[in-house]
């Protein structure tokens, strides 16, 4: 009886399955195609070949002969990891401060900071470029991370999650003689590991993928990031599809790995501030 | 007496610690967001280059009224907004609703697939779509093999089809992202609500509009605000997918402002005036959304 019910309910779900399979196919196919194209010659790609080929090494060789791939990969990793560490530190301690020590003045300040969410990147781009070039921060990792390490979104996320942090722990730690900073580092950070993981994933992804700001301040080829590098591959008149997709693949591998390994944290990071 | 003094200083210490904790973040936001915003406004009243900036009042803003390309970029951006955002959000809610069915098998696989586009950088997916829709790209190859077309159609060379490609690409990249919000929101809705609706004879479509959508309203408003904010600042797709072309017919506001700053003859004053207009648009739309969200609750 129950079995019959089950199969009946599965049968009713057939249109759902068909729809989901189509949507999943459309979602995955462009990425599959990117990998297939990275292993084929440009001519094969433009003839519509979608099966992986054997030309990957040549595409890769062409790519490193034309573009500073290793340098850009290193830059992207270095900038993104540095940004993630500093951002987490600054935003988590701020979120903690706003929640644990909250009073009227701090709540007011918080709503003012939220207004920064409405400030578009293109509006701050020119003044920041002028400030940073005066300060000699063009082509530097510090220049890259400065506008990204304190965001209302991240502060809000940590503030929201700090709500679940038991006040008893703070009281007990104070009695034990820990000062406020020690409480944050020894009590709050270890307890909030999952929040930190989610925040780290989302910050790393954003930093790795950022394009407009690096394009503005990274003017030396040696300071270039991966998104900038692959964008350079289409500046010529003829596009080498195989080589281009090889570059896109290298730009995507790190974020793909993060996605597959830490998908749960990624999803939590996206929705983190709204719970 | 001494102990009382010490007790007070402890409270004072805690208060000081609280302020010290939020100081770095606050100062950074002030220097990296608020101060540049003020600078941008001052710049927008000036003209010239480098040290030779002159104050000219609102002439930069007046120039906007006669700048056909910027007007085109506003139209394009709003076109993307009006067409793409509703399609994407409805599709995202629908997918979340389907994936929230407890009888559904392979839920995790479907969710991962739909969510996967979020793992690619904006430049990456823009380039992938550029290649797929190229004149000798895969889409044309398939259409020729199916005998729908005789020769490759230049999707990115025609202003209407280029816009459609951008919209499709945006939907592809962001539907899964928004779906994640709705899935999180749906988990807060008791399953018994759906059971009750089923007993009352409501079909899937009715349940979707009468239960899912109203209960997800706060989430919908938030994703709407985020999507508007993101669309008004579109840059990567316009630069890499279509390069703004053909003849600026797909260029976005951010792309044009960037070009005004860093391509050809840099004009920081005029660029800042346009950027300030973008800021006002973002702020006004966000406020309208928040108001709408408030009154109906």
């Amino acid at each position: 009886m129950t079995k019959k019910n089950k199969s009946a309910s599965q049968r009713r779900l057939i249109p759902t399955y068909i729809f989901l399979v189509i949507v999943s196919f459309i979602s995955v196919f462009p990425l599959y195609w990117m990998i297939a194209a990275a292993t084929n010659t440009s001519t094969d790609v433009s003839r519509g070949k979608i099966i992986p080929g054997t030309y990957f090494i040549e595409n890769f060789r062409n790519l490193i002969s034309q573009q500073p791939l290793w340098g850009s990969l290193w830059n992207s990793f270095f900038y993104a990891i540095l940004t993630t560490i500093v951002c987490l530190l600054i935003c988590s301690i701020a979120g903690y401060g706003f929640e644990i020590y909250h009073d009227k003045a701090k709540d007011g300040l918080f709503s003012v900071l939220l207004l920064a969410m409405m400030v578009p990147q293109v509006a701050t781009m020119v003044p920041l470029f002028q400030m940073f070039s005066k300060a000699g921060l063009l082509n530097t990792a510090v220049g890259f991370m400065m506008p990204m390490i304190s965001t209302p979104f991240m502060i809000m996320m940590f503030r929201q999650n700090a709500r679940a942090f038991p006040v008893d722990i703070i009281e007990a730690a104070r009695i034990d003689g820990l000062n406020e900073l020690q409480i944050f580092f020894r009590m709050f950070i270890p307890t909030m590991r999952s929040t930190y993981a989610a925040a780290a994933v989302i910050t790393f992804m954003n930093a790795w993928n950022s394009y407009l700001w690096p394009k503005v301040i990274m003017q030396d080829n040696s300071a270039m990031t991966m998104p900038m590098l692959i964008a350079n591959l289409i500046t010529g008149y003829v596009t080498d599809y195989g080589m281009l997709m090889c570059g896109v693949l290298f730009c995507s591998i790190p974020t793909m790995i993060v996605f597959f390994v830490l998908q749960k944290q990624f999803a939590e990071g996206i929705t983190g501030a709204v719970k | 007496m001494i102990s009382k003094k010490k007790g007070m200083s402890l409270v004072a210490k805690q208060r000081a610690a609280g302020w010290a904790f939020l100081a770095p973040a606050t100062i950074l936001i002030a220097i990296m967001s608020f101060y540049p915003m003020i600078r941008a406004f001052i710049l927008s009243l000036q003209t010239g280059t480098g040290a030779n900036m002159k104050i000219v009042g609102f002439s930069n803003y007046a120039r906007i009224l006669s700048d056909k390309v910027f007007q085109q970029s506003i139209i394009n951006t709003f076109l993307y907004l009006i067409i793409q955002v509703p399609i994407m959000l409805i599709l995202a809610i629908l997918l979340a609703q389907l994936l929230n069915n407890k009888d559904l098998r392979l839920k995790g696989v479907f969710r991962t697939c739909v969510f996967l586009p979020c793992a690619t950088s904006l430049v990456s997916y823009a380039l992938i779509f550029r290649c797929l829709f190229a004149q000798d790209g895969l889409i044309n190859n398939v259409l020729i093999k199916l005998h729908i077309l005789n020769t490759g159609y230049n999707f990115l060379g025609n202003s209407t089809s280029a816009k459609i490609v951008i919209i499709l690409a945006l939907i592809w990249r962001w539907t899964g992202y928004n779906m994640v919000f709705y899935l999180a929101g749906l988990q807060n809705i008791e399953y018994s609500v759906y059971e009750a609706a089923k007993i009352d004879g409501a079909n899937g479509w009715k349940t979707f509009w009468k239960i899912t959508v109203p209960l997800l309203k706060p989430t919908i408003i938030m994703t709407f605000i985020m999507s508007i904010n993101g669309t008004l600042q579109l840059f990567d797709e316009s630069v890499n997918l279509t390069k703004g072309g053909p003849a600026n017919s797909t260029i976005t506001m951010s792309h044009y402002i960037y070009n005004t700053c860093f391509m050809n003859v840099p004009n920081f004053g005029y660029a800042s005036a346009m950027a300030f207009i973008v800021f006002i648009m973002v702020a006004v739309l966000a406020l309208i959304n928040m108001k709408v969200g408030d009154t109906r609750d």
Side-chain angles (χ1 to χ4, degrees):
Chain A
M1 182 67 189
T2 41
K3 217 174 187 182
K4 218 175 185 181
N5 263 339
K6 234 178 186 172
S7 70
S9 76
Q10 284 301 319
R11 219 174 304 138
R12 239 183 304 118
L13 281 173
I14 287 174
T16 305
Y17 280 115
I18 294 173
F19 181 70
L20 286 175
V21 167
I22 293 171
V23 172
S24 299
F25 176 77
I26 295 172
S27 298
V28 175
F29 183 76
L31 296 170
Y32 164 77
W33 180 82
M34 177 249 299
I35 296 168
T39 61
N40 280 311
T41 64
S42 194
T43 338
D44 277 345
V45 175
S46 60
R47 278 194 196 128
K49 191 176 171 201
I50 53 167
I51 312 156
T54 53
Y55 205 67
F56 178 72
I57 306 283
E58 283 81 356
N59 283 331
F60 176 67
R61 277 207 195 110
N62 289 340
L63 180 65
I64 49 176
S65 71
Q66 281 191 24
Q67 297 284 338
L69 179 72
W70 300 124
S72 296
L73 264 177
W74 161 253
N75 287 341
S76 274
F77 268 113
F78 177 58
Y79 302 156
I81 291 171
L82 187 73
T83 305
T84 305
I85 294 170
V86 179
C87 174
L88 253 57
L89 202 64
I90 288 177
C91 292
S92 68
I93 204 164
Y96 176 80
F98 274 118
E99 184 57 35
I100 304 297
Y101 304 91
H102 81 102
D103 53 33
K104 258 207 173 125
K106 292 195 188 77
D107 289 350
L109 177 65
F110 186 70
S111 1
V112 173
L113 292 188
L114 283 186
L115 293 178
M117 276 184 167
M118 285 188 233
V119 174
Q121 237 189 332
V122 278
T124 57
M125 170 180 82
V126 171
L128 284 179
F129 172 74
Q130 291 179 325
M131 280 160 62
F132 282 39
S133 52
K134 247 184 230 155
L137 290 173
L138 299 187
N139 302 312
T140 63
V142 175
F144 176 92
M145 73 172 187
M146 280 302 262
M148 291 186 224
I149 48 178
S150 180
T151 66
F153 182 86
M154 274 297 141
I155 299 171
M156 199 153 89
M157 177 169 169
F158 277 104
R159 185 189 182 178
Q160 225 82 307
N161 283 290
R163 217 159 273 175
F165 186 64
V167 188
D168 303 353
I169 294 185
I170 301 173
E171 297 296 337
R174 276 181 190 151
I175 291 165
D176 284 349
L178 263 63
N179 68 34
E180 303 301 307
L181 201 61
Q182 284 170 326
I183 296 174
F184 173 75
F185 279 106
R186 292 198 203 156
M187 301 291 158
F188 184 76
I189 293 183
T191 328
M192 291 289 152
R193 243 175 289 154
S194 66
T195 307
Y196 276 91
V201 170
I202 195 90
T203 312
F204 177 85
M205 292 281 217
N206 285 341
W208 180 279
N209 291 338
S210 63
Y211 179 58
L212 174 57
W213 176 242
K215 199 170 153 71
V216 169
I217 64 152
M218 299 307 192
Q219 302 184 324
D220 272 359
N221 260 357
S222 61
M224 197 161 61
T225 63
M226 278 310 287
M228 293 167 73
L229 180 140
I230 57 171
N232 275 351
L233 295 172
I234 54 160
T235 45
Y237 190 70
V238 184
T239 307
D240 182 338
Y241 292 125
M243 184 183 76
L244 172 61
M245 285 305 130
C246 186
V248 171
L249 181 63
F250 272 95
C251 181
S252 306
I253 286 175
T255 49
M256 295 270 205
I257 292 173
V258 170
F259 175 83
F260 279 112
V261 178
L262 299 165
Q263 195 188 143
K264 197 174 141 258
Q265 283 80 358
F266 184 41
E268 272 171 19
I270 290 175
T271 55
V274 292
K275 260 182 273 170
Chain B
M1 187 67 187
I2 291 168
S3 74
K4 198 182 170 193
K5 215 174 184 180
K6 208 178 171 195
M8 273 177 69
S9 81
L10 215 68
V11 172
K13 243 185 202 166
Q14 283 173 19
R15 292 187 89 188
W19 284 107
F21 286 175
L22 31 115
T26 307
I27 292 167
L28 273 166
I29 288 183
I31 299 175
M32 295 295 145
S33 290
F34 294 139
Y35 173 70
M37 209 54 241
I38 298 165
R39 287 281 316 154
F41 182 66
I42 296 169
L43 262 175
S44 75
L45 304 176
Q46 297 176 327
T47 188
T49 48
N52 303 317
M53 298 295 281
K54 278 194 315 253
I55 298 214
V56 289
F58 288 90
S59 74
N60 282 325
Y61 290 93
R63 189 175 151 189
I64 288 172
L65 297 174
S66 61
D67 186 341
K68 285 279 179 310
V69 181
F70 188 59
Q71 286 165 12
Q72 180 68 46
S73 77
I74 296 177
I75 293 170
N76 291 342
T77 310
F78 274 86
L79 199 74
Y80 300 147
L81 188 77
I82 293 163
I83 297 175
Q84 183 255 335
V85 174
I87 294 177
M88 172 187 70
L89 293 184
I90 290 172
L91 195 59
I93 301 172
L94 193 65
L95 283 167
Q97 163 93 333
L98 292 178
L99 286 174
N100 199 41
N101 190 328
K102 68 173 182 186
D103 292 331
L104 191 77
R105 286 176 199 161
L106 297 173
K107 235 180 281 184
V109 178
F110 288 130
R111 197 185 47 222
T112 303
C113 289
V114 177
F115 193 25
L116 185 62
C118 291
T120 55
S121 83
L122 301 181
V123 180
S124 295
Y125 94 89
L127 294 176
I128 293 172
F129 271 76
R130 183 186 171 86
C131 295
L132 285 175
F133 283 92
Q135 196 151 12
D136 55 356
L138 186 71
I139 303 292
N140 271 318
N141 275 310
V142 171
L143 291 177
I144 291 168
K145 271 185 195 134
L146 294 173
H147 299 290
I148 294 171
L149 290 178
N150 289 324
T151 53
Y153 183 74
N154 195 356
F155 285 106
L156 302 176
N158 173 295
S159 68
T160 310
S161 58
K163 284 186 190 114
I164 293 172
V165 172
I166 287 200
I167 289 169
L168 288 176
L170 286 168
I171 293 173
W172 180 82
R173 174 63 170 75
W174 293 105
T175 300
Y177 181 89
N178 288 291
M179 183 195 72
V180 169
F181 285 93
Y182 298 133
L183 272 176
L186 282 175
Q187 268 151 24
N188 297 329
I189 302 175
E190 291 282 334
Y191 199 77
S192 56
V193 178
Y194 287 107
E195 303 268 86
K198 214 189 252 172
I199 291 164
D200 287 349
N203 58 24
W205 196 243
K206 232 178 182 169
T207 338
F208 179 71
W209 286 109
K210 298 276 167 170
I211 298 177
T212 310
V213 173
L215 286 175
L216 281 181
K217 220 189 87 199
T219 318
I220 293 172
I221 288 168
M222 195 203 49
T223 49
F224 205 62
I225 294 176
M226 291 193 328
S227 304
I228 288 176
N229 198 352
T231 311
L232 288 179
Q233 299 189 46
L234 274 186
F235 177 76
D236 305 30
E237 292 84 354
S238 173
V239 173
N240 292 304
L241 215 169
T242 59
K243 294 186 177 173
N248 291 327
S249 63
T250 60
I251 200 167
T252 61
M253 298 189 287
S254 292
H255 186 183
Y256 183 55
I257 293 170
Y258 177 87
N259 284 354
T260 313
C261 288
F262 298 105
M263 311 284 254
N264 312 324
V265 190
N267 190 337
F268 286 171
Y270 183 48
S272 296
M274 292 190 287
F276 211 78
I277 299 290
V278 177
F279 166 66
I280 290 169
M281 286 176 184
V282 173
V284 167
L285 284 172
L287 286 176
I288 290 174
N289 264 298
M290 280 179 214
K291 273 269 139 53
V292 171
D294 272 353
T295 48
R296 283 196 206 156
D297 267 343

